[in-house]
Amino acid sequence: MIRINNLAVPFDDKSDLKKTVAKRLKLPLQAVLEVVVVRKAIDARRRNNSKINFVYSLDVKISENEQKLINKFKKDNNVMITPNRPTEEIVYGDIKLKHAPIVIGLGPAGLLAAYTLAQHGYKPIVVERGDNIDDRTKAVADFWQNRKLKTESNIQFGEGGAGTFSDGKLTTRVSDEKMKDILELFVKAGAPEEIKYLHKPHIGTDKLRNVVKYLRKEIIAAGGEVRFKAKVTDIKITEGNISEVILNGQETLPCEVVVLAIGHSARDTYEMLYQRNVELEAKPFAIGVRIEHPQELIDKAQYGEYAGVANLAAADYSLVYNDIETKRSAYSFCMCPGGMVVGATSEENQVVTNGMSNYQRNSGIANSAIIVTVNTDDFGGNVLDGISFQRKYEKLAFEVGGENYNAPMQTVGDFLNNNVGSTDFLVKPTYLPGVKSADLRDCLPKFVTTTIAKALPYFGQKIKGFDAPNVVMTGVETRTSAPVRIVRNKELVSLNTKGLYPTGEGAGYAGGIMSAAIDGMNVAIKIINKYKM
């Protein structure tokens, strides 16, 4: 096939892509047999008042001689023979396993690790501390609506992991061919076909739940076992090798290989690993607030007069402010077009915010975290001090919010002018369970609020109205990434505990659904390369 890159098409051009391709390749229409979209992005820069363009990469099957055509375009770097995708042959190891591999955690990393192991005949035992996705969804709704928190089944814990209650973004900076395999798998599981080619694909929390169920069923169909409400409370290490996993303080599972995919909020598991002398290290993370705007405001900033056109998706943004004096940075994180702000704590008497949206992104409200990096020097020298730091400000947010899981909320105008109490909101706060007017400086470190105060006017220069006085901010956002890294070597196994394979966000080696899923798959392949059933 022929690969065409950087093919710009006006967003409102309704022509058949075959016609566009035929014109680009200077071929008769009948010579274009098939067009496959490889990538589709939006270019909204509108140079010289030009229209917004969709920019495509396409694979094209033609009836004419491909090499002859390529010779005609030899000076055109955007026309080439479609590159062959490198294939990775799975090599099976020769160390016989006495016991099935155990996968701890059923978020993206655990799901893909377990799925990969199951598909290759390793029949993993998957243990998840939380509920299945249906019961978990009910538990989350009960917290949002009735303030009844289940500490083992919430936004952070349960089938699908934290990403299941998010925007469902499938972008990643990781360069790995396995991403294509995972996207294909998600489509097979019910995700929209477009995720295979969109520049910024997303599923949304509503569709992601069905994908999670499908993967669980596939693991079981291939001989794996999935157990819910099965919390790992301890492990046993014998002569440097992991040898047992203890569930719920009672049941013991013998093992030689364990995939540790615990997620970034499994604080009690970090503490247990620390007590068992598994090699850990503190790592930076970031904390801050959630900010909300009318989606229309963001669309106009991105699309100008074309905002609101049906085939242009709800716009997003990415903002960074660098303070030259303090060397601190504030930046947008986990931006959710057309979404809502939700309660995301996993521990009692604490408040944590997060952003979420459905596939359609049609709430009419855009939200994003505005966060500031927290370095290890900011919270102490102990490996678990980052957890204590997070807990401190989550507890303060609970207290400032009224000690009923309401979140502290403040308008930008009040925040910048050291006031509290304004009720003239640009959009009504969406946070569930609810909000209380408060001073966000009472529940965040001074270096965080000082940096955000400097960043907001700067962001207002980038997006008109971003720092309007009646824009709402809600605190606190603290679970941006793991505060701990479970150290591993190049074989992806724990530095000092043989057979223990840390993976995903909870291990400190991924950030987001796709990077965690890829990491989980890579860990599974390392296990397959070394062991056999």
Side-chain angles (χ1 to χ4, degrees), residues 154-335:
N154 45 63
I155 278 192
Q156 306 297 345
F157 300 143
E159 184 178 22
T164 305
F165 291 90
S166 70
D167 186 50
K169 293 182 184 67
L170 302 179
T171 51
T172 177
R173 293 188 179 93
V174 175
S175 178
D176 194 313
E177 285 292 323
K178 296 181 190 67
M179 182 173 177
K180 296 177 182 177
D181 296 327
I182 294 170
L183 292 175
E184 289 276 5
L185 178 61
F186 284 1
V187 170
K188 188 177 179 182
E193 188 85 14
E194 67 197 29
I195 68 170
K196 294 194 295 184
Y197 58 79
L198 287 181
H199 173 52
K200 294 181 178 180
H202 88 110
I203 295 183
T205 186
D206 48 346
K207 292 186 179 294
L208 193 53
R209 296 171 198 175
N210 293 326
V211 171
V212 165
K213 276 197 237 183
Y214 173 89
L215 291 175
R216 180 230 302 167
K217 291 176 181 178
E218 288 294 296
I219 292 166
I220 294 170
E225 179 184 354
V226 178
R227 300 173 59 177
F228 296 105
K229 299 180 180 178
K231 179 179 177 179
V232 174
T233 50
D234 207 350
I235 61 173
K236 183 177 180 180
I237 300 169
T238 304
E239 296 180 351
N241 296 268
I242 191 160
S243 56
E244 292 179 357
V245 168
I246 294 85
L247 302 179
N248 299 323
Q250 299 175 335
E251 184 181 1
T252 297
L253 298 180
C255 57
E256 303 127 274
V257 169
V258 172
V259 177
L260 194 61
I262 59 175
H264 60 38
S265 292
R267 293 163 170 174
D268 47 6
T269 307
Y270 289 133
E271 290 162 355
M272 179 271 290
L273 295 171
Y274 181 73
Q275 292 168 3
R276 295 290 169 260
N277 296 315
V278 174
E279 187 74 21
L280 308 175
E281 64 183 19
K283 63 175 284 293
F285 51 95
I287 68 172
V289 299
R290 278 268 154 189
I291 192 167
E292 298 185 79
H293 299 90
Q295 183 61 49
E296 182 183 10
L297 185 149
I298 307 303
D299 290 347
K300 285 183 177 179
Q302 179 81 317
Y303 303 138
E305 67 269 29
Y306 300 114
V309 175
N311 65 336
L312 291 177
D316 62 5
Y317 58 80
S318 179
L319 298 168
V320 180
Y321 166 77
N322 298 307
D323 191 318
I324 298 175
E325 293 180 5
T326 65
K327 309 300 182 185
R328 297 277 185 184
S329 296
Y331 56 97
S332 59
F333 173 80
C334 187
M335 194 270 152

Side-chain angles (χ1 to χ4, degrees), residues 118-148:
Q119 292 299 307
H120 289 86
Y122 285 73
K123 300 180 180 180
I125 299 172
V126 187
V127 294
E128 166 56 53
R129 68 192 293 168
D131 287 329
N132 65 58
I133 191 63
D134 291 328
D135 290 341
R136 181 187 178 201
T137 300
K138 293 175 184 176
V140 168
D142 197 26
F143 174 60
W144 291 346
Q145 295 165 13
N146 303 311
R147 306 172 194 274
K148 295 179 180 178

